[in-house]
Amino acid sequence: MTLAVTSVSQCRLPLMLLLATAMAWPSFAELSSGQEPVGQSVVSVYDSKTIGHDTTTWCATQDSNGVFYIGGDQLLVADGDRWKAYPMGTSYAVRSLEFGPDGRLWAAGMDELGWFVRTDTGGWTYHSLRNQLPDSVKALGDVWNVYPTADGAIYVSDHHVFQWNGSQFKVTHYEVPRRLVSTRYNGAVYVYHPPTGLLRIDPSGPVTTAPASSLGPNGLFWMGEMEGKTVY
């Protein structure tokens, strides 16, 4: 069974969360005719009253057991029709969630960055990395993406790339009109900085892989592969 999560906050519908389950769901006609069942989408709708929390959502992920983890004003955990919420420090917006190889649920949010870890009772508790930031970072602001690595994680905020190696941060600042855009492709994390171009975030720091002059006037928001070629 394949599960997909749709966050409708991106469509400016903040009071609804859709969990779309793509599964084999045979109709009565198919069963009675002996036809092979055709997969259909079954959509469950959860509003703020059902969940007990604001359902403005920013991100979602899923573990190997099929449990959903939703980034809203807190970490929302769905297991069937049961929902629980876990705060991310004092943040009011969990922007990005991703499980790392260490089993931690790494998280980025408004004025926060760190990870969640499962407790002995089956819940989740948050560990902030804010106190590990250098004094030069006065205001953290929105941290939009987190990418777990073998020994830590890479965070991307409006104007910074934060590389956590398990003991300290390497911080790189960029001036951009709005905010940095990042993506992961073939296991590597890339950041688009319009004046410089496309940057690959290596352990030693950002490396320019495509200068701005080669990318043209359009912004870069995604990387993928088509017919054996890398496309932007």
Side-chain angles (χ1 to χ4, degrees):
M1 179 171 64
T2 302
L3 300 176
V5 179
T6 300
S7 167
V8 296
S9 66
Q10 296 177 358
C11 302
R12 300 298 186 267
L13 298 174
L15 295 181
M16 187 177 293
L17 180 69
L18 299 180
L19 299 183
T21 305
M23 58 186 298
W25 191 265
S27 66
F28 176 80
E30 289 171 336
L31 290 174
S32 60
S33 65
Q35 296 177 2
E36 187 71 20
V38 178
Q40 300 178 2
S41 290
V42 178
V43 179
S44 298
V45 180
Y46 299 90
D47 58 17
S48 56
K49 182 178 180 180
T50 303
I51 296 176
H53 293 272
D54 178 23
T55 53
T56 300
T57 57
W58 297 98
C59 61
T61 190
Q62 188 180 14
D63 67 16
S64 59
N65 295 317
V67 178
F68 285 111
Y69 299 82
I70 312 296
D73 59 348
Q74 301 181 71
L75 170 64
L76 303 174
V77 181
D79 182 4
D81 289 328
R82 296 173 298 169
W83 291 85
K84 293 184 179 180
Y86 304 94
M88 185 182 178
T90 59
S91 181
Y92 59 81
V94 182
R95 305 291 196 194
S96 180
L97 294 166
E98 187 172 332
F99 280 99
D102 53 8
R104 293 172 176 174
L105 179 56
W106 293 83
M110 177 61 192
D111 211 36
E112 267 295 348
L113 72 179
W115 71 81
F116 287 90
V117 65
R118 192 180 295 276
T119 65
D120 293 338
T121 58
W124 292 86
T125 185
Y126 178 67
H127 292 260
S128 176
L129 287 172
R130 273 196 62 90
N131 61 352
Q132 300 295 324
L133 290 170
D135 295 337
S136 59
V137 182
K138 301 298 182 182
L140 190 55
D142 260 315
V143 187
W144 293 98
N145 299 101
V146 60
Y147 304 96
T149 62
D151 56 2
I154 298 170
Y155 295 89
V156 181
S157 70
D158 286 331
H159 301 281
H160 293 88
V161 174
F162 303 96
Q163 296 177 250
W164 174 250
N165 65 5
S167 59
Q168 63 181 1
F169 275 109
K170 176 180 177 60
V171 181
T172 308
H173 174 80
Y174 295 95
E175 287 296 334
V176 287
R178 297 188 64 183
R179 68 180 181 92
L180 294 169
V181 175
S182 63
T183 187
R184 192 198 291 271
Y185 173 64
N186 278 351
V189 175
Y190 292 85
V191 171
Y192 174 59
H193 179 233
T196 306
L198 182 65
L199 309 171
R200 186 182 65 241
I201 310 303
D202 289 353
S204 58
V207 175
T208 303
T209 60
S213 59
S214 69
L215 297 175
N218 299 318
L220 191 154
F221 297 96
W222 173 84
M223 293 179 64
E225 190 170 300
M226 183 178 296
E227 297 180 352
K229 298 180 179 180
T230 301
V231 294
Y232 304 104

